[in-house]
Amino acid sequence: MATSTTAAAEPPPAAGDRPPAVELAGITKRFPGVVANRDVHLRAEAGTIHAIVGENGAGKSTLMKILYGMQRPDEGTITVEGEPVTFKRPTDAIRAGIGMVHQHFMLADNLTVLENVVLGAEPKVPVFLSRGAARRRIRELGEAYGLTVDPDALVETLGVGDRQRVEILKVLYRGARILILDEPTAVLVPQEVDDLFRNLRELKQEGLTVLFISHKLDEVLSVADTITVIRAGTTVATVDPSEVTARDLANLMVGHELPTPETRESTVTDTVELSLRGVTVAGAGGKPALDSIDLDIRRGEILGVAGVEGNGQTELINAVMGLVDLVAGTITVGDDDVTTWSTRARREGRVACVPEDRHRDGLLLDAPLWENVALGQQTRAPFVKGRFIDRDGARGRTERIVRDYGVRTPGVDVPAGALSGGNQQKLIMGRELTSDPRVLVAAHPTRGVDVGAQAAIWDELRQARASGLAVLLISADLDELVGLSDTLVVLYGGRLVARVDPATTTLDDLGCYMTGTDPTGGPVGSEEPS
Amino acid sequence: MTRNRLALTLAAPVLAIVVATIASAIALVLTGYAPGDVLSILADQATSVRDLLRTVNRAGPYYVSGVAVAIGFKMNLFNIGVEGQYRLAGVVAAAAGAALPLPGPTRVIGILAVAVLVGAAWSGLAGLLRAYRGVSEVIATIMLNAIALGLTPFLLTRYFEDDSEGFAVRTRPIPSGGRLPFLDFLIPGGAPAGARFNPFILIAIAVGVVYYVLIWRSRFGYDLRASGSNPHAARASGVDAKRMTVIAMAISGGIAGLVGLSTILSTPYSYTEESFLSGLGFTGIAIALLGRNHPVGIALGAFLWAFIDVSRTALSSATPPLPREIATIMQGIIVFSVVIAYEVVARIAERRDAAEVARRTEDPPPTTEPSTAGAAS
């Protein structure tokens, strides 16, 4: 593939005579059997926000790991502020002024903000931590960059946005001048995203350089000074956000039209398949994690649940699947009151589940694919005959799923851990949809899946819906929720705070509900579903 | 791919043997002995029917102990309590075997059943504590070992001792219906003088078959392996984790209960503190590791371990005598080598699998048939 590093963007005037903050030239990184990065060229000017966009699996993360010293490139050079460097480990990168804010926060919940910030950067000689000096430093940094967090607050009491600010402070405290942010908006609601972007602009004004990894094109367009697009491991273009549209970027990213998750005509019937009444689940600290949830999902209906992660989604999934004890309430599937049923009984009663975290809850990574496909249906044909596993039956079903759902694998005997995330997800979707379900709980069905597979999964969900499946869809992707759902509810603090029509709602309104405010201004009312 | 996998599977034991041989030789040279002398003793032993028979007789209990530990390992449970389980099961089974009014050969069944039940009950305690009180099964089984090792002689001397004979502290001998016949007729040319073929090997083989079918072929075994491989996913798939913990511990202990029966169903047909083998439970842990929890692997491990055990006599009676501790050193080195070799090979295999998948799926037409599809038909 030709590398067209079109330097369409002139360095912003603020850059002045400073050398580029980071320059990557000809970076190639091979893993056994795959080339993760191929001849990557990237030039981030000092004092700018430089976005790196690409699909999942395009090689963004590997590239940033190389820059942060977590991986070593096979070929190519890295130049930081004009100096050629070689990083053997992240410590080297930190010393060169590079800091990384990981997608998944790496904070100790039971320590204070201050303790988290100094963790790993404690003074070497004195035995005791100088909290005073550290607190002063954190305050200074906070004021300089608009990152206001109370240094003495316990991290476990902080919201997601504050936690992210702590992560950024941590990196600044170590003297970073170049910040790498890996998908920083993935866990934020729209309003928090705005706050983050304000912080990033302040960092930029203070002369810091931000490398911003994302696949959310609107965000990238609004915050970045320069955008580099990565496709299939290589840089395909560097563009100025003022000269491109989201659609241009999308085309650069994927090379074809972006699919949209739009559901066509309604297939909702009158028969209620899954019904929750007053479902309450205990949470930490006396506050229920789920509070009197009432829900009805009809045959042929997709009910979407929006909400910031950690507002009761996990408990909702666990409640439906029988993985958590209810404090109160009943759950009915069809005509069966399944409240006291075991997980196995519910699975056998044709309640299927695509779990939130496929590695944790959905797969046996070191077991072959066919054993993975049996998971959750190991009491049913074709996976068992009597009390024994039917290997041929399981292999046959697995081969069918591999074929029908486009799972890319050399065979059904390779361990599930050898597949890419997207293929693992396709395998799970296939497994659950071929289990002849009445109810499907689908949590983040397209998380970490490439665009092509995403469209296929959306299609499958729509088809299943058309054939009468009741789907409880939980997702962090608002486009997916709005596009697929027949009904959309918002979960906040363990309560259903809103029920909206996905056809008429706006992302802003959803964002308001998700953060516990009413878009019309008033306090949020618990809108009881009819 | 399958040929590569086979090569990788064989690579691990070969690598382990090479490393163990070299390391043992170095240990011998450093202590001033000639590796060649030890090697020739082992070679002699490998061609002696008598020594091989002793090896197999010893390997039987080792095998059963190894399987007992391996069942726990398959579910990420560490049953260190095999030692206490088989001792307690042994004394109770011996006493019950002599006392129960069972006709003819059903007495054998009775003894087996008692041994399994006692072992299962004893380890089941640890399972219950783990499942319902969160007590680590490692701690619980260690404690239960201590109790069992005190309880066993207490039961023996207080309740089960045979008073008809003056000297040895032992249970009453098992009547003839509860005795398994020797298997000497299986040895070509008959048993050498002073050696008998202990029938316990039949029980070991049966345990191996049951273990394989239960763990690899049954629905229960699938649930158990899933729980061991990923407890979260197993639970989400409908496995009752607590129940599995209790049952897996109980099965492990039940098998462990059989370990000591080689001296009860065969000579001396009773439980005595002298003749009863000790330390088998801990050896079982090493053997389960050696055999990678696989029924055939454990068999090889048990045989190897027993073979080196038997060499102790030959080592100390050689001229000039070699220290018998060399055998123990070799056993230790072998466990280390095997564990390391398997880990190394597993990592290579994992990388190869990932690379293979990546290579095969880089640019396939989307509807390609899986290349190993034929395996299923």
Side-chain angles (χ1 to χ4, degrees), chain A residues 88-118:
Chain A
K88 291 202 177 85
R89 53 188 73 86
T91 331
D92 298 338
I94 293 168
R95 205 167 292 138
I98 296 174
M100 177 117 154
V101 176
H102 295 274
Q103 184 178 358
H104 302 287
F105 300 148
M106 307 205 171
L107 298 173
D109 278 357
N110 53 340
L111 299 184
T112 64
V113 170
L114 183 148
E115 288 163 337
N116 267 287
V117 169
V118 296

PDB file of all heavy atoms in Angstrom, chain A residues 88-118:
ATOM      1  N   LYS A  88      13.827   1.461  25.498  1.00  0.00           N
ATOM      2  CA  LYS A  88      13.812   0.030  25.827  1.00  0.00           C
ATOM      3  C   LYS A  88      12.626  -0.288  26.715  1.00  0.00           C
ATOM      4  O   LYS A  88      12.156  -1.408  26.786  1.00  0.00           O
ATOM      5  CB  LYS A  88      15.093  -0.353  26.558  1.00  0.00           C
ATOM      6  CG  LYS A  88      16.333  -0.295  25.679  1.00  0.00           C
ATOM      7  CD  LYS A  88      17.416  -1.187  26.288  1.00  0.00           C
ATOM      8  CE  LYS A  88      18.657  -1.240  25.428  1.00  0.00           C
ATOM      9  NZ  LYS A  88      19.574  -0.118  25.705  1.00  0.00           N
ATOM     10  N   ARG A  89      12.187   0.672  27.481  1.00  0.00           N
ATOM     11  CA  ARG A  89      11.082   0.451  28.404  1.00  0.00           C
ATOM     12  C   ARG A  89      10.399   1.794  28.656  1.00  0.00           C
ATOM     13  O   ARG A  89      10.977   2.845  28.346  1.00  0.00           O
ATOM     14  CB  ARG A  89      11.599  -0.149  29.711  1.00  0.00           C
ATOM     15  CG  ARG A  89      12.721   0.643  30.360  1.00  0.00           C
ATOM     16  CD  ARG A  89      13.303  -0.111  31.524  1.00  0.00           C
ATOM     17  NE  ARG A  89      14.108  -1.245  31.103  1.00  0.00           N
ATOM     18  CZ  ARG A  89      15.411  -1.155  30.792  1.00  0.00           C
ATOM     19  NH1 ARG A  89      16.039  -0.003  30.856  1.00  0.00           N
ATOM     20  NH2 ARG A  89      16.077  -2.210  30.401  1.00  0.00           N
ATOM     21  N   PRO A  90       9.170   1.750  29.211  1.00  0.00           N
ATOM     22  CA  PRO A  90       8.448   3.005  29.420  1.00  0.00           C
ATOM     23  C   PRO A  90       9.228   4.036  30.236  1.00  0.00           C
ATOM     24  O   PRO A  90       9.107   5.236  29.995  1.00  0.00           O
ATOM     25  CB  PRO A  90       7.189   2.550  30.167  1.00  0.00           C
ATOM     26  CG  PRO A  90       6.964   1.160  29.705  1.00  0.00           C
ATOM     27  CD  PRO A  90       8.329   0.577  29.503  1.00  0.00           C
ATOM     28  N   THR A  91      10.052   3.573  31.177  1.00  0.00           N
ATOM     29  CA  THR A  91      10.848   4.524  31.967  1.00  0.00           C
ATOM     30  C   THR A  91      11.661   5.448  31.067  1.00  0.00           C
ATOM     31  O   THR A  91      11.805   6.638  31.343  1.00  0.00           O
ATOM     32  CB  THR A  91      11.817   3.749  32.889  1.00  0.00           C
ATOM     33  OG1 THR A  91      11.237   2.499  33.213  1.00  0.00           O
ATOM     34  CG2 THR A  91      12.125   4.542  34.134  1.00  0.00           C
ATOM     35  N   ASP A  92      12.213   4.863  29.989  1.00  0.00           N
ATOM     36  CA  ASP A  92      12.999   5.689  29.067  1.00  0.00           C
ATOM     37  C   ASP A  92      12.133   6.765  28.423  1.00  0.00           C
ATOM     38  O   ASP A  92      12.551   7.913  28.269  1.00  0.00           O
ATOM     39  CB  ASP A  92      13.593   4.809  27.956  1.00  0.00           C
ATOM     40  CG  ASP A  92      14.540   3.755  28.514  1.00  0.00           C
ATOM     41  OD1 ASP A  92      15.046   3.955  29.639  1.00  0.00           O
ATOM     42  OD2 ASP A  92      14.764   2.737  27.833  1.00  0.00           O
ATOM     43  N   ALA A  93      10.913   6.354  28.057  1.00  0.00           N
ATOM     44  CA  ALA A  93      10.003   7.312  27.413  1.00  0.00           C
ATOM     45  C   ALA A  93       9.596   8.401  28.391  1.00  0.00           C
ATOM     46  O   ALA A  93       9.542   9.589  28.042  1.00  0.00           O
ATOM     47  CB  ALA A  93       8.773   6.577  26.885  1.00  0.00           C
ATOM     48  N   ILE A  94       9.331   8.003  29.646  1.00  0.00           N
ATOM     49  CA  ILE A  94       8.946   8.990  30.663  1.00  0.00           C
ATOM     50  C   ILE A  94      10.089   9.992  30.840  1.00  0.00           C
ATOM     51  O   ILE A  94       9.877  11.201  30.920  1.00  0.00           O
ATOM     52  CB  ILE A  94       8.601   8.289  31.989  1.00  0.00           C
ATOM     53  CG1 ILE A  94       7.327   7.456  31.821  1.00  0.00           C
ATOM     54  CG2 ILE A  94       8.434   9.309  33.120  1.00  0.00           C
ATOM     55  CD1 ILE A  94       7.051   6.511  32.959  1.00  0.00           C
ATOM     56  N   ARG A  95      11.314   9.467  30.841  1.00  0.00           N
ATOM     57  CA  ARG A  95      12.467  10.340  31.013  1.00  0.00           C
ATOM     58  C   ARG A  95      12.561  11.327  29.847  1.00  0.00           C
ATOM     59  O   ARG A  95      12.972  12.464  30.027  1.00  0.00           O
ATOM     60  CB  ARG A  95      13.739   9.494  31.119  1.00  0.00           C
ATOM     61  CG  ARG A  95      14.847  10.200  31.885  1.00  0.00           C
ATOM     62  CD  ARG A  95      15.954   9.218  32.241  1.00  0.00           C
ATOM     63  NE  ARG A  95      15.524   8.240  33.216  1.00  0.00           N
ATOM     64  CZ  ARG A  95      15.820   6.934  33.167  1.00  0.00           C
ATOM     65  NH1 ARG A  95      16.540   6.462  32.171  1.00  0.00           N
ATOM     66  NH2 ARG A  95      15.404   6.118  34.096  1.00  0.00           N
ATOM     67  N   ALA A  96      12.170  10.904  28.678  1.00  0.00           N
ATOM     68  CA  ALA A  96      12.218  11.789  27.513  1.00  0.00           C
ATOM     69  C   ALA A  96      11.024  12.743  27.471  1.00  0.00           C
ATOM     70  O   ALA A  96      10.888  13.527  26.540  1.00  0.00           O
ATOM     71  CB  ALA A  96      12.273  10.953  26.232  1.00  0.00           C
ATOM     72  N   GLY A  97      10.141  12.662  28.488  1.00  0.00           N
ATOM     73  CA  GLY A  97       9.034  13.607  28.556  1.00  0.00           C
ATOM     74  C   GLY A  97       7.757  13.121  27.907  1.00  0.00           C
ATOM     75  O   GLY A  97       6.881  13.907  27.578  1.00  0.00           O
ATOM     76  N   ILE A  98       7.636  11.793  27.736  1.00  0.00           N
ATOM     77  CA  ILE A  98       6.415  11.259  27.145  1.00  0.00           C
ATOM     78  C   ILE A  98       5.580  10.604  28.245  1.00  0.00           C
ATOM     79  O   ILE A  98       6.111   9.864  29.076  1.00  0.00           O
ATOM     80  CB  ILE A  98       6.752  10.230  26.043  1.00  0.00           C
ATOM     81  CG1 ILE A  98       7.484  10.929  24.903  1.00  0.00           C
ATOM     82  CG2 ILE A  98       5.487   9.543  25.534  1.00  0.00           C
ATOM     83  CD1 ILE A  98       7.978   9.999  23.849  1.00  0.00           C
ATOM     84  N   GLY A  99       4.298  10.894  28.266  1.00  0.00           N
ATOM     85  CA  GLY A  99       3.422  10.294  29.261  1.00  0.00           C
ATOM     86  C   GLY A  99       2.227   9.680  28.578  1.00  0.00           C
ATOM     87  O   GLY A  99       1.783  10.142  27.539  1.00  0.00           O
ATOM     88  N   MET A 100       1.718   8.610  29.198  1.00  0.00           N
ATOM     89  CA  MET A 100       0.597   7.905  28.561  1.00  0.00           C
ATOM     90  C   MET A 100      -0.583   7.854  29.528  1.00  0.00           C
ATOM     91  O   MET A 100      -0.422   7.494  30.690  1.00  0.00           O
ATOM     92  CB  MET A 100       1.049   6.489  28.231  1.00  0.00           C
ATOM     93  CG  MET A 100      -0.032   5.638  27.644  1.00  0.00           C
ATOM     94  SD  MET A 100       0.430   5.165  25.975  1.00  0.00           S
ATOM     95  CE  MET A 100      -0.446   3.680  25.760  1.00  0.00           C
ATOM     96  N   VAL A 101      -1.744   8.219  29.024  1.00  0.00           N
ATOM     97  CA  VAL A 101      -2.970   8.070  29.789  1.00  0.00           C
ATOM     98  C   VAL A 101      -3.719   6.897  29.172  1.00  0.00           C
ATOM     99  O   VAL A 101      -4.169   6.965  28.036  1.00  0.00           O
ATOM    100  CB  VAL A 101      -3.831   9.343  29.742  1.00  0.00           C
ATOM    101  CG1 VAL A 101      -5.144   9.135  30.469  1.00  0.00           C
ATOM    102  CG2 VAL A 101      -3.066  10.506  30.346  1.00  0.00           C
ATOM    103  N   HIS A 102      -3.774   5.806  29.934  1.00  0.00           N
ATOM    104  CA  HIS A 102      -4.337   4.583  29.370  1.00  0.00           C
ATOM    105  C   HIS A 102      -5.849   4.667  29.307  1.00  0.00           C
ATOM    106  O   HIS A 102      -6.495   5.372  30.081  1.00  0.00           O
ATOM    107  CB  HIS A 102      -3.917   3.377  30.211  1.00  0.00           C
ATOM    108  CG  HIS A 102      -2.447   3.139  30.179  1.00  0.00           C
ATOM    109  ND1 HIS A 102      -1.845   2.405  29.199  1.00  0.00           N
ATOM    110  CD2 HIS A 102      -1.457   3.571  30.991  1.00  0.00           C
ATOM    111  CE1 HIS A 102      -0.540   2.377  29.412  1.00  0.00           C
ATOM    112  NE2 HIS A 102      -0.281   3.081  30.496  1.00  0.00           N
ATOM    113  N   GLN A 103      -6.379   3.874  28.392  1.00  0.00           N
ATOM    114  CA  GLN A 103      -7.823   3.821  28.215  1.00  0.00           C
ATOM    115  C   GLN A 103      -8.503   3.325  29.487  1.00  0.00           C
ATOM    116  O   GLN A 103      -9.507   3.852  29.917  1.00  0.00           O
ATOM    117  CB  GLN A 103      -8.119   2.883  27.044  1.00  0.00           C
ATOM    118  CG  GLN A 103      -9.570   2.800  26.691  1.00  0.00           C
ATOM    119  CD  GLN A 103      -9.769   1.892  25.488  1.00  0.00           C
ATOM    120  OE1 GLN A 103      -8.822   1.372  24.914  1.00  0.00           O
ATOM    121  NE2 GLN A 103     -11.010   1.712  25.120  1.00  0.00           N
ATOM    122  N   HIS A 104      -7.913   2.281  30.063  1.00  0.00           N
ATOM    123  CA  HIS A 104      -8.454   1.773  31.326  1.00  0.00           C
ATOM    124  C   HIS A 104      -7.633   2.383  32.439  1.00  0.00           C
ATOM    125  O   HIS A 104      -6.417   2.242  32.460  1.00  0.00           O
ATOM    126  CB  HIS A 104      -8.375   0.252  31.350  1.00  0.00           C
ATOM    127  CG  HIS A 104      -9.110  -0.355  30.213  1.00  0.00           C
ATOM    128  ND1 HIS A 104     -10.477  -0.373  30.161  1.00  0.00           N
ATOM    129  CD2 HIS A 104      -8.670  -0.926  29.069  1.00  0.00           C
ATOM    130  CE1 HIS A 104     -10.844  -0.939  29.036  1.00  0.00           C
ATOM    131  NE2 HIS A 104      -9.776  -1.276  28.341  1.00  0.00           N
ATOM    132  N   PHE A 105      -8.305   3.080  33.334  1.00  0.00           N
ATOM    133  CA  PHE A 105      -7.592   3.818  34.363  1.00  0.00           C
ATOM    134  C   PHE A 105      -6.775   2.880  35.225  1.00  0.00           C
ATOM    135  O   PHE A 105      -7.209   1.796  35.575  1.00  0.00           O
ATOM    136  CB  PHE A 105      -8.577   4.585  35.244  1.00  0.00           C
ATOM    137  CG  PHE A 105      -9.395   5.561  34.465  1.00  0.00           C
ATOM    138  CD1 PHE A 105     -10.695   5.851  34.835  1.00  0.00           C
ATOM    139  CD2 PHE A 105      -8.865   6.184  33.353  1.00  0.00           C
ATOM    140  CE1 PHE A 105     -11.453   6.747  34.104  1.00  0.00           C
ATOM    141  CE2 PHE A 105      -9.609   7.078  32.615  1.00  0.00           C
ATOM    142  CZ  PHE A 105     -10.917   7.364  32.993  1.00  0.00           C
ATOM    143  N   MET A 106      -5.567   3.330  35.540  1.00  0.00           N
ATOM    144  CA  MET A 106      -4.704   2.521  36.391  1.00  0.00           C
ATOM    145  C   MET A 106      -4.532   3.279  37.694  1.00  0.00           C
ATOM    146  O   MET A 106      -3.520   3.896  37.951  1.00  0.00           O
ATOM    147  CB  MET A 106      -3.370   2.302  35.694  1.00  0.00           C
ATOM    148  CG  MET A 106      -3.576   1.737  34.296  1.00  0.00           C
ATOM    149  SD  MET A 106      -2.174   0.825  33.734  1.00  0.00           S
ATOM    150  CE  MET A 106      -2.828   0.082  32.248  1.00  0.00           C
ATOM    151  N   LEU A 107      -5.586   3.237  38.500  1.00  0.00           N
ATOM    152  CA  LEU A 107      -5.583   3.970  39.761  1.00  0.00           C
ATOM    153  C   LEU A 107      -5.907   3.012  40.896  1.00  0.00           C
ATOM    154  O   LEU A 107      -6.659   2.063  40.726  1.00  0.00           O
ATOM    155  CB  LEU A 107      -6.633   5.081  39.737  1.00  0.00           C
ATOM    156  CG  LEU A 107      -6.446   6.178  38.686  1.00  0.00           C
ATOM    157  CD1 LEU A 107      -7.644   7.106  38.665  1.00  0.00           C
ATOM    158  CD2 LEU A 107      -5.177   6.974  38.954  1.00  0.00           C
ATOM    159  N   ALA A 108      -5.313   3.292  42.063  1.00  0.00           N
ATOM    160  CA  ALA A 108      -5.639   2.507  43.249  1.00  0.00           C
ATOM    161  C   ALA A 108      -6.807   3.199  43.946  1.00  0.00           C
ATOM    162  O   ALA A 108      -6.668   4.314  44.452  1.00  0.00           O
ATOM    163  CB  ALA A 108      -4.429   2.422  44.176  1.00  0.00           C
ATOM    164  N   ASP A 109      -7.956   2.534  43.959  1.00  0.00           N
ATOM    165  CA  ASP A 109      -9.179   3.139  44.478  1.00  0.00           C
ATOM    166  C   ASP A 109      -9.094   3.539  45.947  1.00  0.00           C
ATOM    167  O   ASP A 109      -9.729   4.485  46.378  1.00  0.00           O
ATOM    168  CB  ASP A 109     -10.348   2.147  44.330  1.00  0.00           C
ATOM    169  CG  ASP A 109     -10.911   2.191  42.926  1.00  0.00           C
ATOM    170  OD1 ASP A 109     -10.422   3.020  42.141  1.00  0.00           O
ATOM    171  OD2 ASP A 109     -11.827   1.413  42.642  1.00  0.00           O
ATOM    172  N   ASN A 110      -8.322   2.781  46.711  1.00  0.00           N
ATOM    173  CA  ASN A 110      -8.314   3.029  48.162  1.00  0.00           C
ATOM    174  C   ASN A 110      -7.259   4.042  48.569  1.00  0.00           C
ATOM    175  O   ASN A 110      -7.032   4.258  49.747  1.00  0.00           O
ATOM    176  CB  ASN A 110      -8.104   1.712  48.899  1.00  0.00           C
ATOM    177  CG  ASN A 110      -6.876   0.979  48.403  1.00  0.00           C
ATOM    178  OD1 ASN A 110      -6.390   1.243  47.308  1.00  0.00           O
ATOM    179  ND2 ASN A 110      -6.341   0.093  49.207  1.00  0.00           N
ATOM    180  N   LEU A 111      -6.603   4.669  47.600  1.00  0.00           N
ATOM    181  CA  LEU A 111      -5.648   5.722  47.920  1.00  0.00           C
ATOM    182  C   LEU A 111      -6.231   7.073  47.516  1.00  0.00           C
ATOM    183  O   LEU A 111      -7.168   7.142  46.717  1.00  0.00           O
ATOM    184  CB  LEU A 111      -4.332   5.497  47.178  1.00  0.00           C
ATOM    185  CG  LEU A 111      -3.581   4.204  47.497  1.00  0.00           C
ATOM    186  CD1 LEU A 111      -2.260   4.168  46.755  1.00  0.00           C
ATOM    187  CD2 LEU A 111      -3.339   4.054  48.988  1.00  0.00           C
ATOM    188  N   THR A 112      -5.641   8.141  48.055  1.00  0.00           N
ATOM    189  CA  THR A 112      -6.126   9.463  47.688  1.00  0.00           C
ATOM    190  C   THR A 112      -5.548   9.862  46.340  1.00  0.00           C
ATOM    191  O   THR A 112      -4.653   9.198  45.805  1.00  0.00           O
ATOM    192  CB  THR A 112      -5.692  10.514  48.722  1.00  0.00           C
ATOM    193  OG1 THR A 112      -4.268  10.578  48.699  1.00  0.00           O
ATOM    194  CG2 THR A 112      -6.164  10.158  50.113  1.00  0.00           C
ATOM    195  N   VAL A 113      -6.075  10.944  45.817  1.00  0.00           N
ATOM    196  CA  VAL A 113      -5.581  11.478  44.550  1.00  0.00           C
ATOM    197  C   VAL A 113      -4.078  11.721  44.651  1.00  0.00           C
ATOM    198  O   VAL A 113      -3.298  11.311  43.790  1.00  0.00           O
ATOM    199  CB  VAL A 113      -6.318  12.786  44.206  1.00  0.00           C
ATOM    200  CG1 VAL A 113      -5.658  13.487  43.040  1.00  0.00           C
ATOM    201  CG2 VAL A 113      -7.787  12.503  43.921  1.00  0.00           C
ATOM    202  N   LEU A 114      -3.666  12.360  45.758  1.00  0.00           N
ATOM    203  CA  LEU A 114      -2.254  12.682  45.939  1.00  0.00           C
ATOM    204  C   LEU A 114      -1.405  11.414  45.908  1.00  0.00           C
ATOM    205  O   LEU A 114      -0.404  11.330  45.212  1.00  0.00           O
ATOM    206  CB  LEU A 114      -2.090  13.413  47.275  1.00  0.00           C
ATOM    207  CG  LEU A 114      -0.694  13.917  47.644  1.00  0.00           C
ATOM    208  CD1 LEU A 114      -0.821  15.183  48.449  1.00  0.00           C
ATOM    209  CD2 LEU A 114       0.096  12.899  48.416  1.00  0.00           C
ATOM    210  N   GLU A 115      -1.846  10.434  46.654  1.00  0.00           N
ATOM    211  CA  GLU A 115      -1.070   9.195  46.720  1.00  0.00           C
ATOM    212  C   GLU A 115      -0.982   8.520  45.361  1.00  0.00           C
ATOM    213  O   GLU A 115       0.057   7.977  44.986  1.00  0.00           O
ATOM    214  CB  GLU A 115      -1.678   8.246  47.764  1.00  0.00           C
ATOM    215  CG  GLU A 115      -1.432   8.724  49.182  1.00  0.00           C
ATOM    216  CD  GLU A 115      -2.347   8.069  50.199  1.00  0.00           C
ATOM    217  OE1 GLU A 115      -3.431   7.580  49.823  1.00  0.00           O
ATOM    218  OE2 GLU A 115      -1.986   8.058  51.377  1.00  0.00           O
ATOM    219  N   ASN A 116      -2.081   8.562  44.638  1.00  0.00           N
ATOM    220  CA  ASN A 116      -2.063   7.979  43.301  1.00  0.00           C
ATOM    221  C   ASN A 116      -1.108   8.725  42.375  1.00  0.00           C
ATOM    222  O   ASN A 116      -0.418   8.125  41.569  1.00  0.00           O
ATOM    223  CB  ASN A 116      -3.466   7.992  42.695  1.00  0.00           C
ATOM    224  CG  ASN A 116      -4.203   6.712  42.957  1.00  0.00           C
ATOM    225  OD1 ASN A 116      -3.887   5.691  42.354  1.00  0.00           O
ATOM    226  ND2 ASN A 116      -5.146   6.751  43.870  1.00  0.00           N
ATOM    227  N   VAL A 117      -1.106  10.054  42.509  1.00  0.00           N
ATOM    228  CA  VAL A 117      -0.274  10.849  41.609  1.00  0.00           C
ATOM    229  C   VAL A 117       1.204  10.592  41.880  1.00  0.00           C
ATOM    230  O   VAL A 117       1.999  10.437  40.960  1.00  0.00           O
ATOM    231  CB  VAL A 117      -0.621  12.346  41.742  1.00  0.00           C
ATOM    232  CG1 VAL A 117       0.406  13.200  41.027  1.00  0.00           C
ATOM    233  CG2 VAL A 117      -2.009  12.616  41.184  1.00  0.00           C
ATOM    234  N   VAL A 118       1.586  10.489  43.146  1.00  0.00           N
ATOM    235  CA  VAL A 118       3.017  10.313  43.441  1.00  0.00           C
ATOM    236  C   VAL A 118       3.451   8.857  43.331  1.00  0.00           C
ATOM    237  O   VAL A 118       4.639   8.568  43.287  1.00  0.00           O
ATOM    238  CB  VAL A 118       3.395  10.846  44.840  1.00  0.00           C
ATOM    239  CG1 VAL A 118       3.167  12.336  44.914  1.00  0.00           C
ATOM    240  CG2 VAL A 118       2.619  10.134  45.919  1.00  0.00           C
TER     241      VAL A 118
END
